[in-house]
Amino acid sequence: MLTGRSFYQTMNETQDILISDQWIVSRRGGKNSVDPRRPYAMLVEKERAITGETEDTAIIFLTNRECAFHCLMCDLWKNTTDVTIPVGAIPDQIEWALERMQPAKHLKLYNSGSFFDGRAIPEEDYPRIASLVSHFETVIVESHPKLIGDRCLQFRDMLKPELHVALGLETVNPDLLLRLNKRMTLQDFTHSVSFLNSHGIRVRAFILLRPPFLTEEEGIYWAERSFDLAFRVGVECCTVIPVREGNGAMDHLLAQGHFSRPDIRSLETVLEYGISLNAGRVFADLWDLNLFSSCPECFDGRAKRLNEMNMNQILPAPVECTCLQD
Ligand code: SF4
Ligand SMILES: [Zn+2]
């Protein structure tokens, strides 16, 4: 297993790095060129639904105003605008995408920030969005936990599909959560989940695997504790995201030895743990999965195994490889 300096050693060594909005933003490169009338990406993928069936899920990556938060590990700002986009632009993007995508039962509307941020998606757009997506069974949007409130209910009341909300929990290590500049406490997260659940809205949580300042073992430990809390407070589905560099701030921490990418084997370990809890759906984010493997011998086998775990929520036989002796 890869190791490194422990969380508390690293915390002591890096007290001089004041991780602020300004520190994070000043390390960024340029944004990509985006068109406010077009989504910057879209795809249809298979996902295990709450019914247990594997079903097509469409994802529209909406071009939107940059998120008001500046989390240390986030690179979603790359495909955003600096200013609020006009009323009507978000429904136009959805309409344009749906005309071109293959049919699916479920839809994720991801806007690189918070769907319920009024400066990102104006309330005036809710009725047209609701009408455009009325043929889906489920609509999933994302939000910062602090922006959960009456707007969610307003949107839900217009929707025919069932509304699910994805919230970034990131980690239950409170000191680390502070350093991620998420501007959220675990209490904020818990309150938001309770609020949504009390109004019949299901919640999925994003959990990070090995944020900066952690050893590989600590990364596994905190991801597992994050599953524990998420399910305990009422989350229905968790997605674990292996952390990577690429946003400037993370590259700086990587170069300074305060961050290393997690290993694909750790992703298997935490997914196995999450599935074994039998408390809700558990997924691993498999985007750019090859970044997390240094062994060409077993990468394909591990990728297949992770996909099988995502789809079937079972624990297939482990992949045997000489890299296990690292
Ligand atoms: S709240 Fe989400 S989108 Fe906004 S900076 Fe944090 S991780 Fe990125
Ligand atoms: Zn191997």
Side-chain angles (χ1 to χ4, degrees), residues 63-123:
T63 300
N64 207 187
R65 183 196 172 108
E66 183 183 318
C67 177
F69 298 89
H70 299 108
C71 300
L72 178 61
M73 66 295 171
C74 183
D75 64 0
L76 294 171
W77 52 267
K78 287 184 180 174
N79 293 301
T80 60
T81 62
D82 293 335
V83 293
T84 298
I85 65 173
V87 171
I90 292 290
D92 285 352
Q93 291 183 42
I94 296 170
E95 188 169 43
W96 186 89
L98 293 179
E99 281 167 6
R100 286 159 182 80
M101 295 172 89
Q102 69 186 70
K105 278 198 176 178
H106 312 282
L107 174 66
K108 294 176 183 170
L109 293 175
Y110 285 169
N111 68 311
S112 303
S114 297
F115 190 92
F116 301 112
D117 176 351
R119 294 196 315 166
I121 302 192
E123 287 170 31

XYZ file of all heavy atoms in Angstrom, residues 63-123:
488
model
N -23.897 24.358 -18.879
C -22.972 25.494 -18.805
C -23.629 26.548 -17.927
O -24.755 26.979 -18.193
C -22.722 26.062 -20.213
O -22.167 25.023 -21.007
C -21.786 27.249 -20.173
N -22.946 26.953 -16.877
C -23.569 27.827 -15.891
C -22.546 28.787 -15.303
O -21.345 28.663 -15.534
C -24.200 26.954 -14.796
C -25.382 27.601 -14.097
O -25.893 27.075 -13.131
N -25.849 28.747 -14.570
N -23.069 29.728 -14.516
C -22.182 30.642 -13.809
C -21.319 29.855 -12.820
O -21.791 28.887 -12.222
C -23.032 31.658 -13.033
C -22.218 32.697 -12.314
C -23.054 33.429 -11.272
N -22.182 34.274 -10.487
C -22.156 35.600 -10.570
N -22.981 36.229 -11.382
N -21.323 36.300 -9.843
N -20.087 30.317 -12.650
C -19.181 29.634 -11.723
C -19.775 29.563 -10.318
O -20.394 30.512 -9.837
C -17.859 30.411 -11.689
C -16.812 29.755 -10.823
C -15.546 30.595 -10.760
O -15.125 31.132 -11.805
O -14.999 30.721 -9.652
N -19.555 28.433 -9.669
C -20.054 28.213 -8.306
C -19.514 29.295 -7.363
O -18.377 29.751 -7.503
C -19.584 26.830 -7.842
S -20.027 26.434 -6.157
N -20.337 29.665 -6.398
C -19.946 30.707 -5.446
C -18.901 30.198 -4.440
O -18.224 30.982 -3.789
C -21.183 31.180 -4.698
N -18.768 28.892 -4.314
C -17.790 28.318 -3.386
C -16.507 28.004 -4.159
O -16.524 27.900 -5.389
C -18.344 27.043 -2.745
C -19.580 27.305 -1.922
C -20.845 27.261 -2.498
C -19.480 27.605 -0.569
C -21.984 27.504 -1.738
C -20.616 27.858 0.191
C -21.870 27.810 -0.392
N -15.431 27.847 -3.418
C -14.150 27.515 -4.071
C -13.504 26.382 -3.293
O -12.557 26.594 -2.523
C -13.235 28.741 -4.099
C -13.821 29.887 -4.867
N -14.297 31.028 -4.274
C -14.032 30.047 -6.195
C -14.774 31.845 -5.194
N -14.631 31.276 -6.371
N -14.021 25.184 -3.491
C -13.477 24.049 -2.742
C -12.097 23.682 -3.291
O -11.856 23.756 -4.496
C -14.428 22.868 -2.819
S -16.054 23.237 -2.150
N -11.251 23.261 -2.382
C -9.846 23.002 -2.712
C -9.665 21.998 -3.845
O -8.773 22.136 -4.668
C -9.148 22.492 -1.433
C -7.687 22.105 -1.527
C -6.829 23.288 -1.952
C -7.199 21.565 -0.179
N -10.523 20.975 -3.882
C -10.306 19.877 -4.834
C -11.114 20.043 -6.113
O -11.057 19.204 -6.999
C -10.677 18.539 -4.182
C -12.156 18.359 -3.843
S -12.713 19.524 -2.571
C -14.476 19.280 -2.583
N -11.886 21.118 -6.226
C -12.872 21.215 -7.315
C -12.254 21.750 -8.606
O -11.489 22.713 -8.594
C -14.008 22.127 -6.886
S -15.309 22.219 -8.129
N -12.624 21.111 -9.715
C -12.178 21.639 -11.013
C -13.370 21.979 -11.913
O -13.211 22.201 -13.112
C -11.231 20.653 -11.714
C -11.909 19.333 -12.062
O -13.112 19.168 -11.776
O -11.226 18.460 -12.622
N -14.554 22.032 -11.336
C -15.747 22.264 -12.151
C -15.810 23.690 -12.701
O -16.526 23.953 -13.666
C -17.014 21.948 -11.327
C -17.169 20.476 -10.961
C -18.316 20.287 -9.976
C -17.415 19.639 -12.218
N -15.069 24.606 -12.095
C -15.040 26.001 -12.578
C -14.529 26.098 -14.018
O -14.772 27.083 -14.704
C -14.151 26.859 -11.658
C -12.786 26.268 -11.442
C -12.416 25.452 -10.424
C -11.629 26.402 -12.288
N -11.100 25.069 -10.575
C -10.595 25.644 -11.706
C -11.365 27.094 -13.468
C -9.323 25.550 -12.266
C -10.097 27.001 -14.044
C -9.092 26.236 -13.436
N -13.828 25.059 -14.481
C -13.191 25.146 -15.812
C -14.198 25.360 -16.932
O -13.869 25.950 -17.956
C -12.401 23.860 -16.103
C -11.120 23.762 -15.310
C -10.362 22.517 -15.717
C -9.071 22.398 -14.936
N -8.388 21.135 -15.194
N -15.402 24.837 -16.764
C -16.412 24.951 -17.826
C -17.566 25.845 -17.385
O -18.734 25.509 -17.560
C -16.929 23.560 -18.203
C -15.847 22.735 -18.867
O -15.305 23.115 -19.905
N -15.476 21.636 -18.240
N -17.242 26.968 -16.775
C -18.283 27.882 -16.297
C -18.055 29.281 -16.874
O -16.983 29.589 -17.395
C -18.269 27.991 -14.757
O -16.985 28.489 -14.349
C -18.534 26.662 -14.092
N -19.090 30.119 -16.700
C -18.978 31.525 -17.093
C -18.695 32.356 -15.835
O -18.946 31.913 -14.718
C -20.292 32.017 -17.732
O -21.320 31.913 -16.745
C -20.681 31.192 -18.947
N -18.210 33.563 -16.051
C -17.933 34.451 -14.909
C -19.184 35.198 -14.462
O -19.235 35.703 -13.354
C -16.855 35.482 -15.297
C -15.518 34.806 -15.535
O -15.294 33.712 -14.978
O -14.698 35.358 -16.295
N -20.165 35.280 -15.346
C -21.362 36.070 -15.022
C -22.602 35.179 -15.101
O -22.584 34.121 -15.735
C -21.524 37.252 -16.003
C -20.407 38.259 -15.823
C -21.578 36.771 -17.446
N -23.675 35.659 -14.463
C -24.942 34.925 -14.510
C -25.409 34.829 -15.953
O -25.340 35.802 -16.699
C -25.995 35.667 -13.652
O -25.525 35.674 -12.302
C -27.342 34.975 -13.701
N -25.886 33.673 -16.343
C -26.324 33.520 -17.730
C -27.799 33.924 -17.841
O -28.523 33.923 -16.846
C -26.042 32.098 -18.268
C -26.848 31.048 -17.532
C -24.556 31.766 -18.167
C -26.713 29.672 -18.157
N -28.251 34.314 -19.030
C -29.602 34.883 -19.137
C -30.704 33.894 -18.773
O -30.542 32.679 -18.937
C -29.712 35.250 -20.625
C -28.369 35.069 -21.227
C -27.540 34.235 -20.310
N -31.818 34.444 -18.314
C -33.013 33.623 -18.090
C -33.338 32.944 -19.425
O -33.257 33.560 -20.485
C -34.201 34.515 -17.638
C -35.504 33.721 -17.617
C -33.912 35.115 -16.272
N -33.651 31.668 -19.375
C -33.987 30.924 -20.592
C -32.819 30.103 -21.130
O -33.016 29.135 -21.869
N -31.589 30.458 -20.745
C -30.427 29.743 -21.303
C -30.369 28.295 -20.804
O -30.059 27.375 -21.579
C -29.139 30.480 -20.955
N -30.684 28.074 -19.541
C -30.609 26.696 -19.002
C -31.681 25.812 -19.649
O -31.364 24.711 -20.150
C -30.707 26.709 -17.454
C -29.457 27.364 -16.847
C -30.951 25.312 -16.893
C -28.165 26.569 -16.960
N -32.958 26.269 -19.707
C -33.940 25.431 -20.423
C -33.550 25.226 -21.894
O -33.738 24.117 -22.416
C -35.238 26.231 -20.311
C -35.043 27.124 -19.131
C -33.580 27.401 -19.029
N -32.976 26.229 -22.529
C -32.527 26.052 -23.924
C -31.487 24.936 -24.023
O -31.515 24.109 -24.934
C -31.896 27.347 -24.474
C -32.944 28.406 -24.813
O -34.150 28.085 -24.761
O -32.542 29.552 -25.115
N -30.572 24.922 -23.074
C -29.528 23.879 -23.092
C -30.149 22.494 -22.917
O -29.756 21.533 -23.584
C -28.528 24.104 -21.956
C -27.643 25.332 -22.122
C -26.641 25.428 -20.971
O -26.062 24.433 -20.562
N -26.423 26.639 -20.472
N -31.111 22.409 -22.005
C -31.739 21.103 -21.743
C -32.509 20.644 -22.986
O -32.399 19.479 -23.409
C -32.667 21.196 -20.506
C -31.824 21.516 -19.264
C -33.468 19.915 -20.310
C -32.634 21.875 -18.024
N -33.240 21.560 -23.575
C -34.018 21.220 -24.779
C -33.088 20.744 -25.901
O -33.316 19.714 -26.534
C -34.796 22.463 -25.237
C -35.775 22.197 -26.346
C -36.692 23.404 -26.575
O -36.205 24.562 -26.575
O -37.901 23.174 -26.736
N -32.006 21.469 -26.097
C -31.038 21.145 -27.155
C -30.444 19.748 -26.899
O -30.346 18.931 -27.814
C -29.937 22.211 -27.147
C -28.948 22.105 -28.261
C -29.031 22.683 -29.498
C -27.695 21.385 -28.242
N -27.924 22.369 -30.244
C -27.084 21.572 -29.504
C -27.035 20.610 -27.296
C -25.847 21.009 -29.831
C -25.804 20.039 -27.618
C -25.232 20.242 -28.874
N -30.097 19.480 -25.658
C -29.481 18.184 -25.335
C -30.485 17.044 -25.505
O -30.163 16.008 -26.117
C -28.943 18.206 -23.906
N -31.699 17.238 -25.007
C -32.674 16.135 -25.057
C -33.061 15.787 -26.489
O -33.366 14.629 -26.789
C -33.918 16.482 -24.223
C -33.673 16.569 -22.703
C -34.960 16.945 -21.977
C -33.111 15.254 -22.159
N -33.017 16.770 -27.363
C -33.320 16.490 -28.777
C -32.257 15.591 -29.412
O -32.492 14.984 -30.443
C -33.385 17.804 -29.570
C -34.689 18.555 -29.390
C -34.638 19.995 -29.922
O -33.620 20.388 -30.541
O -35.624 20.709 -29.689
N -31.085 15.551 -28.798
C -29.961 14.822 -29.398
C -29.559 13.553 -28.650
O -28.710 12.800 -29.114
C -28.736 15.758 -29.476
C -28.898 16.794 -30.564
C -28.015 18.010 -30.364
N -28.270 18.954 -31.431
C -29.311 19.800 -31.465
N -30.192 19.824 -30.462
N -29.473 20.612 -32.500
N -30.108 13.339 -27.500
C -29.673 12.188 -26.692
C -30.620 11.013 -26.865
O -31.808 11.203 -27.102
C -29.636 12.570 -25.203
C -28.610 13.620 -24.899
S -28.756 14.213 -23.198
C -27.690 13.076 -22.353
N -30.068 9.821 -26.681
C -30.932 8.641 -26.732
C -31.847 8.646 -25.497
O -31.488 9.238 -24.465
C -30.093 7.363 -26.780
C -29.355 7.098 -25.484
C -28.428 5.920 -25.580
O -27.403 5.961 -26.254
N -28.785 4.856 -24.879
N -33.005 8.022 -25.580
C -33.932 8.053 -24.443
C -33.333 7.398 -23.202
O -32.503 6.493 -23.308
C -35.132 7.246 -24.939
C -34.927 7.033 -26.387
C -33.483 7.232 -26.706
N -33.744 7.882 -22.057
C -33.281 7.317 -20.787
C -34.407 7.467 -19.767
O -35.307 8.285 -19.945
C -32.034 8.055 -20.311
N -34.344 6.690 -18.705
C -35.401 6.763 -17.682
C -35.123 7.856 -16.652
O -36.032 8.380 -16.034
C -35.484 5.429 -16.936
C -36.291 4.387 -17.669
C -36.686 3.299 -16.704
C -37.577 2.292 -17.382
N -37.947 1.192 -16.526
N -33.840 8.101 -16.440
C -33.461 9.035 -15.378
C -32.588 10.141 -15.961
O -31.894 9.930 -16.965
C -32.710 8.292 -14.270
C -33.413 7.041 -13.839
N -34.499 7.058 -12.996
C -33.230 5.740 -14.202
C -34.937 5.812 -12.824
N -34.182 5.002 -13.556
N -32.604 11.285 -15.304
C -31.839 12.431 -15.824
C -31.090 13.114 -14.698
O -31.669 13.442 -13.653
C -32.812 13.440 -16.461
C -32.201 14.766 -16.920
C -31.223 14.563 -18.083
C -33.300 15.760 -17.332
N -29.796 13.345 -14.930
C -29.013 14.159 -14.002
C -28.782 15.512 -14.658
O -28.302 15.559 -15.805
C -27.654 13.501 -13.711
C -27.769 12.190 -12.958
C -26.402 11.540 -12.781
C -26.535 10.196 -12.088
N -25.283 9.424 -12.092
N -29.128 16.568 -13.953
C -28.859 17.922 -14.435
C -27.755 18.479 -13.543
O -28.020 18.898 -12.415
C -30.113 18.802 -14.326
C -31.277 18.430 -15.235
C -32.489 19.315 -14.918
C -30.887 18.578 -16.708
N -26.519 18.431 -14.024
C -25.393 18.878 -13.217
C -24.899 20.216 -13.761
O -24.605 20.341 -14.943
C -24.274 17.819 -13.227
C -24.598 16.604 -12.362
C -23.815 15.453 -12.420
C -25.671 16.607 -11.462
C -24.089 14.343 -11.617
C -25.949 15.504 -10.658
C -25.162 14.380 -10.742
O -25.438 13.288 -9.941
N -24.838 21.205 -12.885
C -24.551 22.562 -13.353
C -23.243 23.133 -12.801
O -23.099 24.347 -12.696
C -25.733 23.503 -13.030
C -25.901 23.743 -11.544
O -25.906 22.792 -10.770
N -26.046 24.992 -11.128
N -22.315 22.271 -12.439
C -20.995 22.707 -11.930
C -21.135 23.610 -10.709
O -20.329 24.526 -10.504
C -20.192 23.459 -13.002
O -20.030 22.684 -14.146
N -22.149 23.387 -9.933
C -22.371 24.225 -8.749
C -23.628 23.759 -8.060
O -23.815 22.566 -7.854
N -24.499 24.698 -7.750
C -25.717 24.369 -7.021
C -26.939 24.741 -7.844
O -27.122 25.911 -8.182
C -25.753 25.134 -5.694
O -24.670 24.734 -4.890
N -27.769 23.758 -8.102
C -28.988 24.000 -8.877
C -29.861 25.044 -8.172
O -30.532 25.837 -8.819
C -29.759 22.686 -9.032
C -30.892 22.747 -10.008
C -30.705 22.419 -11.343
C -32.162 23.146 -9.604
C -31.758 22.482 -12.250
C -33.220 23.212 -10.504
C -33.018 22.877 -11.826
N -29.822 25.052 -6.838
C -30.710 25.943 -6.088
C -30.063 27.277 -5.728
O -30.574 28.011 -4.896
C -31.236 25.224 -4.842
C -31.986 23.966 -5.202
C -31.483 22.714 -4.889
C -33.179 24.049 -5.911
C -32.156 21.555 -5.251
C -33.861 22.892 -6.288
C -33.350 21.645 -5.959
N -28.956 27.598 -6.369
C -28.350 28.919 -6.237
C -29.062 29.832 -7.235
O -28.990 29.618 -8.447
C -26.847 28.794 -6.562
C -26.135 30.142 -6.540
O -26.806 31.188 -6.449
O -24.890 30.130 -6.640
N -29.760 30.835 -6.718
C -30.547 31.720 -7.577
C -29.710 32.456 -8.612
O -30.217 32.863 -9.655
N -28.413 32.622 -8.332
C -27.565 33.294 -9.322
C -27.089 32.317 -10.397
O -26.541 32.714 -11.422
C -26.348 33.926 -8.640
C -26.733 35.071 -7.695
C -25.535 35.911 -7.339
N -24.368 35.077 -7.005
C -23.136 35.553 -6.918
N -22.884 36.817 -7.147
N -22.134 34.755 -6.585
N -27.307 31.034 -10.157
C -26.922 30.022 -11.153
C -28.111 29.682 -12.037
O -28.026 29.735 -13.269
C -26.413 28.774 -10.441
N -29.222 29.323 -11.389
C -30.420 28.958 -12.149
C -31.585 29.785 -11.609
O -32.054 29.561 -10.490
C -30.707 27.446 -12.050
C -29.471 26.696 -12.581
C -31.993 27.096 -12.806
C -29.617 25.247 -12.843
N -32.024 30.781 -12.380
C -33.103 31.640 -11.874
C -34.412 30.875 -11.704
O -34.710 29.982 -12.506
C -33.231 32.723 -12.957
C -32.403 32.292 -14.117
C -31.553 31.131 -13.713
N -35.151 31.244 -10.690
C -36.425 30.558 -10.432
C -37.376 30.651 -11.631
O -38.206 29.770 -11.839
C -37.110 31.160 -9.203
C -36.431 30.778 -7.919
C -36.952 31.560 -6.727
O -38.132 31.930 -6.721
O -36.154 31.805 -5.800
